[in-house]
mmCIF file of all heavy atoms in Angstrom:
data_model
loop_
_atom_site.group_PDB
_atom_site.id
_atom_site.type_symbol
_atom_site.label_atom_id
_atom_site.label_comp_id
_atom_site.label_asym_id
_atom_site.label_seq_id
_atom_site.Cartn_x
_atom_site.Cartn_y
_atom_site.Cartn_z
ATOM 1 N N ILE A 344 -3.316 385.531 244.644
ATOM 2 C CA ILE A 344 -3.014 386.903 244.201
ATOM 3 C C ILE A 344 -3.706 387.207 242.878
ATOM 4 O O ILE A 344 -4.273 388.290 242.702
ATOM 5 C CB ILE A 344 -1.490 387.118 244.107
ATOM 6 C CG1 ILE A 344 -0.896 387.098 245.515
ATOM 7 C CG2 ILE A 344 -1.162 388.415 243.381
ATOM 8 C CD1 ILE A 344 0.611 387.065 245.548
ATOM 9 N N GLU A 345 -3.690 386.261 241.955
ATOM 10 C CA GLU A 345 -4.358 386.467 240.665
ATOM 11 C C GLU A 345 -5.855 386.699 240.856
ATOM 12 O O GLU A 345 -6.428 387.621 240.266
ATOM 13 C CB GLU A 345 -4.142 385.257 239.765
ATOM 14 C CG GLU A 345 -4.834 385.379 238.425
ATOM 15 C CD GLU A 345 -4.668 384.129 237.563
ATOM 16 O OE1 GLU A 345 -3.857 383.259 237.911
ATOM 17 O OE2 GLU A 345 -5.370 384.041 236.549
ATOM 18 N N ARG A 346 -6.503 385.883 241.683
ATOM 19 C CA ARG A 346 -7.947 386.024 241.899
ATOM 20 C C ARG A 346 -8.279 387.343 242.589
ATOM 21 O O ARG A 346 -9.254 387.997 242.252
ATOM 22 C CB ARG A 346 -8.504 384.870 242.734
ATOM 23 C CG ARG A 346 -8.376 383.470 242.150
ATOM 24 C CD ARG A 346 -8.679 383.395 240.664
ATOM 25 N NE ARG A 346 -8.804 382.040 240.174
ATOM 26 C CZ ARG A 346 -7.824 381.277 239.716
ATOM 27 N NH1 ARG A 346 -6.582 381.713 239.727
ATOM 28 N NH2 ARG A 346 -8.065 380.077 239.239
ATOM 29 N N MET A 347 -7.459 387.735 243.545
ATOM 30 C CA MET A 347 -7.700 389.001 244.254
ATOM 31 C C MET A 347 -7.512 390.182 243.305
ATOM 32 O O MET A 347 -8.287 391.129 243.336
ATOM 33 C CB MET A 347 -6.783 389.112 245.463
ATOM 34 C CG MET A 347 -7.103 388.095 246.527
ATOM 35 S SD MET A 347 -6.001 388.198 247.923
ATOM 36 C CE MET A 347 -7.021 389.166 249.015
ATOM 37 N N THR A 348 -6.503 390.119 242.447
ATOM 38 C CA THR A 348 -6.262 391.186 241.476
ATOM 39 C C THR A 348 -7.428 391.304 240.507
ATOM 40 O O THR A 348 -7.881 392.413 240.199
ATOM 41 C CB THR A 348 -4.952 390.913 240.712
ATOM 42 O OG1 THR A 348 -3.882 390.845 241.648
ATOM 43 C CG2 THR A 348 -4.669 392.007 239.694
ATOM 44 N N GLN A 349 -7.938 390.170 240.030
ATOM 45 C CA GLN A 349 -9.103 390.188 239.134
ATOM 46 C C GLN A 349 -10.304 390.814 239.821
ATOM 47 O O GLN A 349 -11.020 391.612 239.222
ATOM 48 C CB GLN A 349 -9.439 388.765 238.677
ATOM 49 C CG GLN A 349 -8.442 388.186 237.722
ATOM 50 C CD GLN A 349 -8.698 386.710 237.447
ATOM 51 O OE1 GLN A 349 -9.443 386.040 238.149
ATOM 52 N NE2 GLN A 349 -8.051 386.189 236.416
ATOM 53 N N ARG A 350 -10.536 390.461 241.057
ATOM 54 C CA ARG A 350 -11.680 390.986 241.803
ATOM 55 C C ARG A 350 -11.566 392.492 241.992
ATOM 56 O O ARG A 350 -12.529 393.221 241.821
ATOM 57 C CB ARG A 350 -11.787 390.264 243.145
ATOM 58 C CG ARG A 350 -12.937 390.699 244.028
ATOM 59 C CD ARG A 350 -14.329 390.475 243.436
ATOM 60 N NE ARG A 350 -14.597 389.145 242.994
ATOM 61 C CZ ARG A 350 -15.185 388.191 243.701
ATOM 62 N NH1 ARG A 350 -15.544 388.429 244.932
ATOM 63 N NH2 ARG A 350 -15.405 387.012 243.184
ATOM 64 N N VAL A 351 -10.363 392.966 242.314
ATOM 65 C CA VAL A 351 -10.142 394.402 242.484
ATOM 66 C C VAL A 351 -10.385 395.135 241.168
ATOM 67 O O VAL A 351 -11.009 396.194 241.138
ATOM 68 C CB VAL A 351 -8.725 394.682 243.035
ATOM 69 C CG1 VAL A 351 -8.368 396.151 242.928
ATOM 70 C CG2 VAL A 351 -8.615 394.195 244.473
ATOM 71 N N GLU A 352 -9.915 394.582 240.069
ATOM 72 C CA GLU A 352 -10.093 395.210 238.751
ATOM 73 C C GLU A 352 -11.578 395.304 238.394
ATOM 74 O O GLU A 352 -12.045 396.329 237.896
ATOM 75 C CB GLU A 352 -9.329 394.439 237.672
ATOM 76 C CG GLU A 352 -9.444 395.031 236.288
ATOM 77 C CD GLU A 352 -8.848 396.421 236.143
ATOM 78 O OE1 GLU A 352 -8.081 396.868 237.009
ATOM 79 O OE2 GLU A 352 -9.174 397.078 235.137
ATOM 80 N N ILE A 353 -12.318 394.259 238.655
ATOM 81 C CA ILE A 353 -13.762 394.272 238.382
ATOM 82 C C ILE A 353 -14.441 395.349 239.218
ATOM 83 O O ILE A 353 -15.265 396.114 238.707
ATOM 84 C CB ILE A 353 -14.383 392.886 238.647
ATOM 85 C CG1 ILE A 353 -13.925 391.898 237.581
ATOM 86 C CG2 ILE A 353 -15.914 392.965 238.696
ATOM 87 C CD1 ILE A 353 -14.227 390.456 237.908
ATOM 88 N N ARG A 354 -14.086 395.433 240.480
ATOM 89 C CA ARG A 354 -14.686 396.457 241.354
ATOM 90 C C ARG A 354 -14.301 397.864 240.903
ATOM 91 O O ARG A 354 -15.096 398.780 240.949
ATOM 92 C CB ARG A 354 -14.272 396.228 242.797
ATOM 93 C CG ARG A 354 -14.988 395.050 243.403
ATOM 94 C CD ARG A 354 -14.689 394.910 244.852
ATOM 95 N NE ARG A 354 -15.437 393.782 245.387
ATOM 96 C CZ ARG A 354 -15.148 393.187 246.507
ATOM 97 N NH1 ARG A 354 -14.139 393.596 247.234
ATOM 98 N NH2 ARG A 354 -15.870 392.179 246.921
ATOM 99 N N ARG A 355 -13.053 398.027 240.452
ATOM 100 C CA ARG A 355 -12.603 399.346 239.986
ATOM 101 C C ARG A 355 -13.393 399.777 238.760
ATOM 102 O O ARG A 355 -13.867 400.900 238.673
ATOM 103 C CB ARG A 355 -11.106 399.311 239.659
ATOM 104 C CG ARG A 355 -10.532 400.680 239.277
ATOM 105 C CD ARG A 355 -9.095 400.566 238.806
ATOM 106 N NE ARG A 355 -8.973 399.834 237.565
ATOM 107 C CZ ARG A 355 -9.286 400.334 236.349
ATOM 108 N NH1 ARG A 355 -9.743 401.553 236.242
ATOM 109 N NH2 ARG A 355 -9.126 399.602 235.263
ATOM 110 N N LEU A 356 -13.558 398.870 237.821
ATOM 111 C CA LEU A 356 -14.318 399.189 236.613
ATOM 112 C C LEU A 356 -15.780 399.483 236.943
ATOM 113 O O LEU A 356 -16.379 400.409 236.393
ATOM 114 C CB LEU A 356 -14.233 398.042 235.606
ATOM 115 C CG LEU A 356 -12.879 397.830 234.941
ATOM 116 C CD1 LEU A 356 -12.895 396.560 234.102
ATOM 117 C CD2 LEU A 356 -12.482 399.027 234.107
ATOM 118 N N THR A 357 -16.349 398.708 237.821
ATOM 119 C CA THR A 357 -17.740 398.901 238.221
ATOM 120 C C THR A 357 -17.918 400.261 238.899
ATOM 121 O O THR A 357 -18.873 400.982 238.627
ATOM 122 C CB THR A 357 -18.200 397.772 239.160
ATOM 123 O OG1 THR A 357 -18.025 396.523 238.481
ATOM 124 C CG2 THR A 357 -19.645 397.936 239.552
ATOM 125 N N ALA A 358 -16.980 400.618 239.764
ATOM 126 C CA ALA A 358 -17.057 401.890 240.477
ATOM 127 C C ALA A 358 -16.956 403.069 239.521
ATOM 128 O O ALA A 358 -17.573 404.113 239.741
ATOM 129 C CB ALA A 358 -15.953 401.976 241.530
ATOM 130 N N ARG A 359 -16.197 402.900 238.438
ATOM 131 C CA ARG A 359 -16.042 403.980 237.458
ATOM 132 C C ARG A 359 -17.169 403.987 236.437
ATOM 133 O O ARG A 359 -17.240 404.869 235.597
ATOM 134 C CB ARG A 359 -14.701 403.826 236.727
ATOM 135 C CG ARG A 359 -13.525 404.133 237.631
ATOM 136 C CD ARG A 359 -12.205 403.988 236.957
ATOM 137 N NE ARG A 359 -12.167 404.639 235.652
ATOM 138 C CZ ARG A 359 -11.172 404.527 234.801
ATOM 139 N NH1 ARG A 359 -10.138 403.770 235.108
ATOM 140 N NH2 ARG A 359 -11.191 405.133 233.644
ATOM 141 N N GLY A 360 -18.034 402.981 236.506
ATOM 142 C CA GLY A 360 -19.152 402.922 235.572
ATOM 143 C C GLY A 360 -18.767 402.417 234.209
ATOM 144 O O GLY A 360 -19.516 402.565 233.254
#
Side-chain angles (χ1 to χ4, degrees):
I344 291 170
E345 178 183 349
R346 298 318 191 271
M347 293 178 98
T348 301
Q349 289 172 345
R350 180 62 53 94
V351 167
E352 181 64 15
I353 289 167
R354 286 186 178 162
R355 185 187 66 76
L356 290 173
T357 302
R359 290 180 47 188

